[in-house]
Amino acid sequence: MFIWFFRYSFFIFLSFSLFFDLEFLVLFLNLIFIHFFYGLFAILKDYIHQAEIKFFLLFLIRFIFFLFLNIYIELWF
């Protein structure tokens, strides 16, 4: 009578445990990244002038654009 339950119950427990593990991982990593980026933003805003931040961000945007362009060219041509 309970053979089916004992045979396949580990699938149920495994699926629930994987779901909770992934949920914990996603929430935990989000909190770490939010804390990290807020800290970096506070340091940049407090200790570095706004003009330097804008220059640095423009440089990063252009640099990332060229990296993506390079990857696109390597993949498609």
Side-chain angles (χ1 to χ4, degrees):
M1 186 163 137
F2 293 109
I3 294 173
W4 182 87
F5 177 75
F6 289 127
R7 184 178 294 166
Y8 298 110
S9 63
F10 73 94
F11 285 122
I12 297 169
F13 294 122
L14 180 68
S15 62
F16 281 129
S17 65
L18 287 176
F19 174 73
F20 287 128
D21 286 343
L22 291 175
E23 181 183 7
F24 176 74
L25 181 68
V26 167
L27 290 174
F28 188 66
L29 287 177
N30 282 333
L31 288 175
I32 287 175
F33 284 124
I34 287 171
H35 177 74
F36 180 72
F37 288 122
Y38 276 159
L40 281 178
F41 184 71
I43 290 171
L44 288 174
K45 192 173 181 181
D46 290 340
Y47 299 113
I48 300 176
H49 300 289
Q50 296 293 326
E52 294 173 359
I53 292 174
K54 288 180 184 177
F55 177 73
F56 182 68
L57 289 177
L58 285 174
F59 171 75
L60 281 180
I61 290 170
R62 289 177 184 165
F63 183 69
I64 291 172
F65 173 74
F66 285 125
L67 285 177
F68 283 138
L69 188 63
N70 189 10
I71 291 170
Y72 178 74
I73 289 171
E74 286 181 6
L75 287 175
W76 295 100
F77 296 111

